[in-house]
Amino acid sequence: MEKELKLMKGNEAIAEAAIRYGADAYFGYPITPQSEVIEYFMEQNPIERTGMVVLQAESEVAAINMVYGAAACGMAAMTSSSSPGFSLKQEGLSYIAGAELPCLVLNVVRGGPGLGTIQPSQSDYFQSTKGGGHGDYRLIVLAPASVQEMYDFVQIGFDLAFKYRNPVLILSDGIIGQMMEKVEIGPQRVRRTMDEVIKQCPWATTGKTANRERNIITSLDLVASRQEEFNRKLVKKYDTIREKEVRCECINCDDADYVFVAYGTSSRLCMKSMDLLRKEGYKVGLVRPITLFPYPSKIIAGLAERVKGFLTIEMSTGQMVEDVMLAVNGKRPVKHYGRVGGVVPTPEEIVDAMKNFMKGE
Amino acid sequence: MAELTINDIIKEENLVYKKTKVMTDNVMHYCPGCGHGTTHRLVAEVIEELGIQDKTIGVTPVGCSVLMYNYLDIDMQEAAHGRAPAIATAIKRVMPDKFVFTYQGDGDLAAIGTAETIHSCNRGENITIIFVNNGIYGMTGGQMAPTTLSGMKAVTCPRGRDVNTMGYPLHITELIAQLPNVRFVTRQSVHTPANVRKAKAAIRRAFENQKDGKGGLSFVEIVSNCNSNWKMTAVDANKWMEENTFKEYPLGDIKIDWEIQEGKISLRNRKLDY
Amino acid sequence: MTEEIIIAGFGGQGVLSMGKILAYSGLMQGQEIAWMPSYGPEMRGGTSNVTVIISDERVSSPILTQYDTVIVLNQQSMDKFESTVKPGGTLIFDPNGITKMPTRKDINIFKIEAAQLASDMGNQKVFNMIVLGAFLKVRPIVDNKYVEEGLRHSLPERAHKLIPLNMEAIEKGKNEVVKM
């Protein structure tokens, strides 16, 4: 069969991917620069295409709680937002993590804090990778660097979410969301039947039948010792995820003296900068974490044995750099260069930053 | 005549009351005299009588009834504070053949969850909302609720609710009754056997409205007491409720099958009404 | 081959859709593509630009400071982007609305009277296709048959009857572009 190729915005690719994956529900709220997600869904009318439910919620808070409700029924449910809206979703995400429900969420990051700007940014890294809401929990975080990855990570994300009964976040930004690129579209998968949902999710609230005990979805336990036990169980799950689910791309690292560490849009900028530097004879490589939780710490620690230094490029004042420092553990210099507030650094600027870093400045 | 033993009494023909199988045997944590236990039972009985135990999904709130899922033998989800209607919306949308209800208190439904309440009602989600209004935050220890009566004392209004600075008691039920997609709105109580029977009929109607295909949201308010936080005995609390709360929140059907009942909703005038 | 292009003008001039048609044409030809718009609160009348990258290889940065080809359709865009043409690169502009002519000597400069030609054709909407034609004449990176396929994929079904008109406008642009 010939590949189906389309030119799509990142925001549209996410929505098309969800329909093709056979997702059951999307609940959203408009916010720039990700409104195309819900607009694309509404235009496509997936209830007709696959039976997928799409609803514009009254708020970000309601949308994430609708995801909770659908996910607790064993459904493949998702929502999307951009930074200010994503802060509002933290309540729901904490409950979803606490109730161990699978779901997929997308943050098309814009500059902050506060209302900030509508231009692209990567300043939600801490919120995304260290928990975000209250309580001790983690999201699995995927960082796409292309529209194709926006598409592909929907399937990967949902699969991980159900495998671990954990919320999965696709951490994107205004560039990946708004940019159009070539996307190879997968075949339409048929949505699971109710029987298949029940088989896959025996824990779900699908109606208490005579052959089983009632299913209760909650994150509440008023007995401290039991809650502690539950927290330990979560830690074990996160450790398994750290062990098994790290994804990372290393480009030109084999002979590199210095490496960029960058994810998402910044990694694209760094690819250009790396090419420019290599043309000038500098042996520079790029580590692109694809999962931000779990973080590719071991890969970076391994590189720290032989490269001379790490420069992180982030559209933030320096957030991921802390994870690189933890991984490098003082063995090599680690520095950060970034632009913020919606300003995107140019590849030339990044070249200069690397040259300064190599000079020890 | 031989003396009667207990086994002579426990016979099918002597049965006048039987706990519904939709309730578990767990001991309830509610204070004696609280309306939650009775309201729980009514919901459970209706579920049994309609034969929908395997098709019902309940959503519990944050508040005293947060642990409702310990007492009803059905699938349930526990919501974040105020979010139950959003969760119920999603459940009903992804499983339209199920019976979905929320069970919420006044703080949950009429304060922190106002947006979720109003908008699920406005969309006319085909769900049932059971709203237990005792005019106070019970679980957190007796703070003022949006429904607290004028002048009524609570730990966050120790000199009584001052309507000029704290607002008037919120008639959320009358508000949502005016939304076109809301089908059935009623206000009941469970403090006497007669009221319990009426309340049960209302809850039954609210559940039955989910199955005739006409859609619409059904909303049942149960005016109740909180004798512990009102600092009264259970009997005194019920008496106080009859004398005070029912004046502010009169019992009866407000809207039936999309028709507002005559005289049930009037514009409230600050000077005349208070 | 990698061609890095920016198209800049007023919102409403069809800048984004021209970029999209060009990008889709490249896609149809089997190339790697990026299309990156400026986005902001302006809906109409404000400045608008789009970066299009067509390459044989994986596209790296969609954010650029220098371009192989710069297409400007108003004076603000000329002021902003003339300096961003790579030495030896291409600048294409429509003189309508241009008050200060480009001055650089190290680049190839082309003029296309697209607004006038569109008006002559009696259809302002083909303005951007005339500009696209001018570009394709100067930088023939996409075959005509792929441009037609690109149009088919980027226009909604109901607009497919306008494809011949659009192709005609592209032809017009090719014929009328003038080297300065």
Side-chain angles (χ1 to χ4, degrees):
Chain A
M1 202 180 94
E2 206 174 310
K3 287 188 287 187
E4 193 181 342
L5 295 176
K6 273 194 167 174
L7 190 66
M8 300 186 103
K9 281 190 171 195
N11 288 337
E12 297 168 343
I14 282 274
E16 181 63 30
I19 298 169
R20 298 250 177 167
Y21 176 79
D24 300 299
Y26 169 90
F27 305 99
Y29 187 84
I31 180 171
T32 307
Q34 66 80 52
S35 298
E36 294 87 354
V37 180
I38 188 167
E39 289 169 13
Y40 187 89
F41 271 126
M42 290 302 185
E43 169 68 28
Q44 288 295 317
N45 205 15
I47 196 85
E48 294 289 325
R49 270 180 69 179
T50 66
M52 180 186 185
V53 169
V54 178
L55 183 63
Q56 179 172 338
E58 63 269 30
S59 69
E60 302 279 8
V61 176
I64 190 68
N65 279 283
M66 288 173 182
V67 168
Y68 177 107
C73 300
M75 300 295 161
M78 67 179 287
T79 184
S80 64
S81 190
S82 178
S83 306
F86 211 73
S87 289
L88 286 166
K89 292 198 195 290
Q90 297 304 325
E91 174 199 73
L93 283 169
S94 174
Y95 281 72
I96 288 168
E100 293 202 270
L101 297 175
C103 75
L104 185 66
V105 294
L106 164 70
N107 184 359
V108 182
V109 180
R110 61 190 242 186
L115 205 48
T117 172
I118 59 170
Q119 306 301 333
S121 183
Q122 295 181 314
S123 46
D124 297 353
Y125 180 88
F126 283 151
Q127 183 193 56
S128 308
T129 60
K130 310 296 176 192
H134 63 282
D136 241 329
Y137 74 92
R138 288 288 198 278
L139 311 176
I140 298 172
V141 185
L142 299 167
S146 65
V147 178
Q148 184 70 55
E149 284 190 339
M150 286 284 260
Y151 186 93
D152 294 342
F153 287 3
V154 168
Q155 175 166 354
I156 293 169
F158 268 128
D159 288 350
L160 286 170
F162 276 90
K163 183 175 175 188
Y164 293 102
R165 285 185 60 181
N166 204 70
V168 173
L169 164 63
I170 296 180
L171 186 67
S172 180
D173 63 62
I175 288 182
I176 307 283
Q178 293 293 326
M179 180 168 58
M180 281 206 282
E181 290 188 307
K182 183 167 82 178
V183 188
E184 189 183 333
I185 306 278
Q188 177 65 56
R189 301 207 322 193
V190 178
R191 280 179 56 242
R192 293 165 302 160
T193 62
M194 207 58 216
D195 285 344
E196 287 166 340
V197 169
I198 291 168
K199 204 172 162 210
Q200 187 186 2
C201 309
W203 44 264
T205 57
T206 49
K208 183 212 167 307
T209 42
N211 58 354
R212 67 159 169 85
E213 292 295 303
R214 69 190 190 281
N215 284 336
I216 296 164
I217 300 297
T218 182
S219 56
L220 173 72
D221 201 325
L222 294 172
V223 180
S225 58
R226 279 206 309 253
Q227 180 65 29
E228 185 185 38
E229 207 177 298
F230 174 71
N231 283 124
R232 301 264 180 239
K233 181 187 152 205
L234 285 184
V235 168
K236 254 192 183 162
K237 175 164 85 175
Y238 302 145
D239 284 343
T240 307
I241 293 168
R242 283 188 181 99
E243 196 59 43
K244 293 192 169 164
E245 304 299 345
V246 170
R247 287 160 197 258
C248 181
E249 185 183 17
C250 294
I251 307 173
N252 293 337
C253 286
D254 290 345
D255 68 339
D257 291 328
Y258 288 87
V259 292
F260 287 116
V261 187
Y263 69 93
T265 288
S266 290
S267 70
R268 295 283 295 267
L269 306 171
C270 286
M271 276 171 63
K272 182 99 185 169
S273 310
M274 182 174 67
D275 288 347
L276 294 170
L277 283 159
R278 286 214 162 231
K279 273 182 196 151
E280 293 185 45
Y282 297 102
K283 287 183 178 169
V284 171
L286 168 64
V287 176
R288 175 171 82 93
I290 295 170
T291 50
L292 301 179
F293 182 88
Y295 197 72
S297 306
K298 280 184 189 161
I299 291 166
I300 289 172
L303 281 170
E305 298 296 331
R306 53 184 183 78
V307 304
K308 293 177 184 162
F310 297 83
L311 181 64
T312 73
I313 305 296
E314 301 173 67
M315 294 190 288
S316 77
T317 53
Q319 298 191 14
M320 184 184 70
V321 65
E322 294 188 4
D323 283 336
V324 178
M325 284 174 169
L326 282 171
V328 172
N329 202 13
K331 283 198 180 117
R332 305 288 173 196
V334 177
K335 277 203 167 170
H336 159 265
Y337 179 80
R339 297 295 298 273
V340 289
V343 178
V344 181
T346 65
E348 290 78 7
E349 213 179 323
I350 294 169
V351 164
D352 291 344
M354 182 52 110
K355 282 182 180 169
N356 290 336
F357 178 59
M358 291 188 291
K359 274 189 274 178
E361 280 169 19
Chain B
M1 188 175 146
E3 207 177 322
L4 274 175
T5 68
I6 190 116
N7 288 328
D8 296 317
I9 299 167
I10 303 177
K11 282 182 180 159
E12 199 63 33
E13 66 263 28
N14 291 333
L15 190 69
V16 290
Y17 174 77
K18 189 181 169 190
K19 183 177 78 74
T20 163
K21 69 179 172 64
V22 178
M23 295 206 84
T24 65
D25 288 333
N26 292 330
V27 176
M28 284 190 178
H29 69 285
Y30 299 117
C31 307
C34 172
H36 274 312
T38 309
T39 312
H40 282 18
R41 173 169 65 80
L42 297 185
V43 172
E45 285 176 357
V46 165
I47 291 169
E48 182 178 12
E49 286 166 20
L50 295 178
I52 56 172
Q53 186 178 13
D54 59 341
K55 294 188 201 67
T56 303
I57 319 289
V59 187
T60 73
V62 170
C64 282
S65 49
V66 64
L67 293 171
M68 185 183 191
Y69 54 70
N70 282 344
Y71 310 128
L72 261 61
D73 191 21
I74 55 169
D75 282 359
M76 295 197 90
Q77 299 187 20
E78 157 46 29
H81 201 18
R83 315 299 174 224
I87 289 173
T89 294
I91 299 170
K92 188 73 179 192
R93 295 252 177 169
V94 297
M95 301 191 302
D97 59 328
K98 299 289 192 268
F99 291 78
V100 181
F101 74 93
T102 72
Y103 187 104
Q104 302 174 261
D106 39 59
D108 190 271
L109 180 138
I112 199 166
T114 312
E116 286 79 2
T117 303
I118 295 277
H119 288 281
S120 60
C121 289
N122 192 46
R123 287 188 301 263
E125 300 295 344
N126 191 202
I127 58 174
T128 298
I129 293 179
I130 312 282
F131 167 41
V132 179
N133 175 12
N134 58 11
I136 204 154
Y137 284 72
M139 195 193 211
T140 45
Q143 294 84 4
M144 182 180 71
T147 48
T148 298
L149 302 190
S150 171
M152 186 175 166
K153 286 180 182 166
V155 292
T156 51
C157 53
R159 285 164 291 281
R161 181 177 191 154
D162 173 5
V163 294
N164 292 313
T165 58
M166 299 164 183
Y168 287 86
L170 184 65
H171 285 237
I172 188 101
T173 305
E174 279 82 356
L175 278 176
I176 65 112
Q178 295 171 67
L179 301 172
N181 274 338
V182 173
R183 174 175 181 178
F184 174 52
V185 179
T186 187
R187 183 182 283 123
Q188 303 292 335
S189 83
V190 291
H191 73 301
T192 70
N195 286 97
V196 167
R197 275 195 295 277
K198 280 190 201 161
K200 184 172 171 182
I203 292 170
R204 189 184 167 104
R205 179 179 204 127
F207 273 84
E208 283 174 333
N209 281 348
Q210 290 195 43
K211 68 173 185 186
D212 66 3
K214 293 183 191 158
L217 185 138
S218 299
F219 189 98
V220 180
E221 175 180 342
I222 306 288
V223 178
S224 190
N225 72 54
C226 180
N227 57 69
S228 294
N229 283 303
W230 291 3
K231 316 282 183 212
M232 296 176 195
T233 65
V235 174
D236 286 350
N238 279 343
K239 192 158 172 274
W240 194 89
M241 178 171 75
E242 282 180 343
E243 288 166 2
N244 298 279
T245 321
F246 289 177
K247 277 192 193 136
E248 182 71 37
Y249 303 113
L251 303 187
D253 293 332
I254 297 169
K255 190 178 194 182
I256 299 174
D257 282 339
W258 295 282
E259 292 288 334
I260 296 206
Q261 303 300 292
E262 206 181 325
K264 285 298 178 183
I265 295 179
S266 55
L267 287 176
R268 300 177 71 76
N269 186 301
R270 186 173 162 173
K271 282 210 178 94
L272 295 178
D273 292 357
Y274 290 92
Chain C
M1 185 280 288
T2 298
E3 179 85 4
E4 295 170 333
I5 307 147
I6 191 162
I7 310 163
F10 288 123
Q13 276 182 318
V15 165
L16 298 185
S17 63
M18 173 184 164
K20 188 175 170 187
I21 290 160
L22 177 58
Y24 240 123
S25 309
L27 183 149
M28 290 295 131
Q29 197 171 273
Q31 272 157 318
E32 299 301 320
I33 305 295
W35 174 97
M36 181 67 219
S38 63
Y39 66 93
E42 311 95 353
M43 292 294 280
R44 200 167 289 158
T47 55
S48 165
N49 69 68
V50 61
T51 300
V52 178
I53 303 168
I54 299 177
S55 179
D56 299 333
E57 292 157 33
R58 178 176 172 181
V59 176
S60 58
S61 174
I63 303 298
L64 301 167
T65 51
Q66 290 214 302
Y67 305 90
D68 299 303
T69 299
V70 170
I71 301 171
V72 293
L73 303 173
N74 63 15
Q75 186 62 45
Q76 287 98 315
S77 303
M78 180 71 88
D79 296 344
K80 194 168 171 191
F81 292 110
E82 183 187 352
S83 61
T84 65
V85 184
K86 291 178 191 171
T90 304
L91 175 72
I92 300 169
F93 73 101
D94 181 344
N96 179 42
I98 297 291
T99 51
K100 282 178 279 175
M101 287 295 153
T103 55
R104 277 180 67 178
K105 303 290 177 219
D106 61 337
I107 57 174
N108 301 304
I109 301 176
F110 296 86
K111 178 177 83 166
I112 177 72
E113 298 266 8
Q116 184 59 49
L117 292 163
S119 167
D120 295 347
M121 283 177 78
N123 190 340
Q124 284 299 334
K125 284 188 175 163
V126 298
F127 164 79
N128 61 349
M129 291 299 96
I130 296 171
V131 178
L132 179 61
F135 168 77
L136 289 171
K137 170 79 176 183
V138 178
R139 305 288 301 162
I141 56 168
V142 192
D143 280 4
N144 239 17
K145 66 169 175 177
Y146 296 118
V147 174
E148 193 163 346
E149 279 187 46
L151 274 168
R152 202 172 307 283
H153 278 86
S154 43
L155 296 178
E157 199 94 15
R158 63 180 186 279
H160 280 189
K161 59 180 187 294
L162 297 172
I163 290 173
L165 177 68
N166 280 290
M167 290 306 291
E168 190 192 323
I170 288 169
E171 234 14 75
K172 189 93 147 177
K174 284 185 177 181
N175 293 334
E176 301 288 339
V177 63
V178 180
K179 187 155 199 291
M180 301 285 285

